[in-house]
Amino acid sequence: TGLVAGAAQMQATSPVASAALGRTMICSLMLAAGKKTGEMYGEVEQESVQIDVRGDGPLKQSFATADGRGEVRGYVAQPFVHLPPNSQGKLDVAGAVGKGIITVVRNNPLWKQPYSGITQIVSGEIAVDMAHYLTESEQTPSALGAGVLVDSKDEHVIASGGWLVQMLPGATDETITQIEKNIGSLDGSPTDLIRSGKTANDICDILSAGLRDDEVYPATMIKPRFACKCSIEKVYRTIALLPRHEMEEVLEEQGKIEVKCEFCKRNYHLAGAELEDAYKTVTDGGADK
């Protein structure tokens, strides 16, 4: 909840944009959970999952990327979208997203190239779309829930969370039947469960009832956090890609070049000697890779 609330506050998103952003980040975290870290192979980079939801609705895009350490970041293309509630009186995330496609990219530091899968948006509610993606593109039958509750008065996120169950090859009919029964026994949406006081372990207990020993708990637990990767070195590399004449035109008109991070909304301002440093840093190979 705190993670999504912080991201929404950082990006000043409207309620429906907060819900879409939060759901996308939650889904990326769940898909990345348990993935191997590059440290296992002596690499700095982590195995990551990125979700890119692009629709014809007013939100345009909801994007998030996460890794196995629980580090996540995300943004929406149009953070100030306002829509009336849907027919159920809830935030109209489906209306904000619209019809379009979902692209999921999985990347590992040891792979020659990332794995990419694309499916159609079938509902716009994001969680349903991700379950559809996992079943259709990755051939992994899955059930998934993700929710964000926003206070109607002050527009702050007051609850957010999710759960994911995936069937592995060899699952028996009895196991599938038990899982379906367990999912049906969940008392409400993810945000309902959170507001009722349920912890992550409590939800795991409900979903795995009848499938494991009562005393067995998840092997690992992590605390997810919003982690932006922007830096002045990356800004230098981006600026250095601009044709020099374009840079000079911007300088002549505005006196400086401004670069804004999509994720954390930090502004970087460069002018004069700083711009020359940007070109020199990249040309000399001095920027961090």
Side-chain angles (χ1 to χ4, degrees):
T1 297
L3 185 153
V4 175
Q9 184 176 10
M10 183 188 303
Q11 301 186 23
T13 45
S14 67
V16 70
S18 296
L21 172 63
R23 292 181 189 182
T24 309
M25 290 199 302
I26 290 167
C27 288
S28 68
L29 280 167
M30 292 192 294
L31 265 63
K35 298 303 177 184
K36 297 175 181 178
T37 67
E39 295 170 354
M40 298 179 66
Y41 312 107
E43 298 285 343
V44 176
E45 294 294 326
Q46 309 293 308
E47 183 169 338
S48 63
V49 176
Q50 72 177 41
I51 298 173
D52 191 358
V53 181
R54 292 177 182 258
D56 59 7
L59 196 66
K60 302 299 183 184
Q61 179 190 21
S62 183
F63 176 92
T65 179
D67 62 32
R69 294 182 300 189
E71 294 186 349
V72 63
R73 60 192 185 277
Y75 68 87
V76 291
Q78 299 295 331
F80 310 126
V81 171
H82 285 272
L83 292 178
N86 60 21
S87 59
Q88 297 177 320
K90 298 183 178 181
L91 292 171
D92 191 7
V93 175
V97 171
K99 299 298 181 182
I101 61 172
I102 287 182
T103 304
V104 177
V105 179
R106 295 184 182 271
N107 194 16
N108 182 289
L110 292 188
W111 295 349
K112 292 184 178 180
Q113 61 184 21
Y115 168 82
S116 180
I118 301 176
T119 55
Q120 293 289 323
I121 293 173
V122 294
S123 79
E125 295 291 346
I126 298 180
V128 174
D129 298 298
M130 288 310 305
H132 173 74
Y133 163 81
L134 290 167
T135 300
E136 294 299 317
S137 183
E138 298 190 4
Q139 286 77 54
T140 306
S142 306
L144 186 153
V148 177
L149 182 64
V150 182
D151 189 283
S152 59
K153 295 181 180 179
D154 61 16
E155 300 187 347
H156 289 168
V157 174
I158 55 178
S160 62
W163 52 265
L164 170 65
V165 178
Q166 295 183 292
M167 291 298 172
L168 299 179
T172 64
D173 290 341
E174 290 78 10
T175 296
I176 295 173
T177 299
Q178 184 65 50
I179 285 291
E180 291 174 344
K181 177 182 177 182
N182 294 347
I183 293 173
S185 69
L186 289 172
D187 189 18
S189 67
T191 55
D192 290 333
L193 295 171
I194 293 167
R195 297 193 76 196
S196 70
K198 293 288 192 299
T199 65
N201 269 341
D202 293 334
I203 297 173
C204 286
D205 285 342
I206 296 170
L207 291 172
S208 61
L211 299 174
R212 61 179 173 84
D213 296 334
D214 291 339
E215 66 273 12
V216 176
Y217 286 90
T220 60
M221 293 182 67
I222 59 173
K223 185 176 182 179
R225 69 185 186 93
F226 192 97
C228 188
K229 308 294 184 180
C230 73
S231 67
I232 190 63
E233 289 79 13
K234 290 183 178 180
V235 172
Y236 279 178
R237 291 200 296 270
T238 300
I239 293 295
L241 293 175
L242 288 174
R244 185 172 286 272
H245 72 275
E246 289 187 14
M247 181 190 75
E248 292 173 349
E249 288 175 2
V250 173
L251 281 176
E252 185 177 349
E253 293 177 3
Q254 303 179 13
K256 62 182 178 181
I257 289 182
E258 179 178 327
V259 179
K260 187 172 187 178
C261 176
E262 290 281 9
F263 297 104
C264 69
K265 303 306 179 184
R266 179 179 177 182
N267 286 309
Y268 295 87
H269 302 278
L270 289 84
E274 287 181 295
L275 287 172
E276 289 300 329
D277 286 344
Y279 275 93
K280 186 175 185 300
T281 297
V282 175
T283 303
D284 294 346
D288 293 340
K289 295 181 181 181

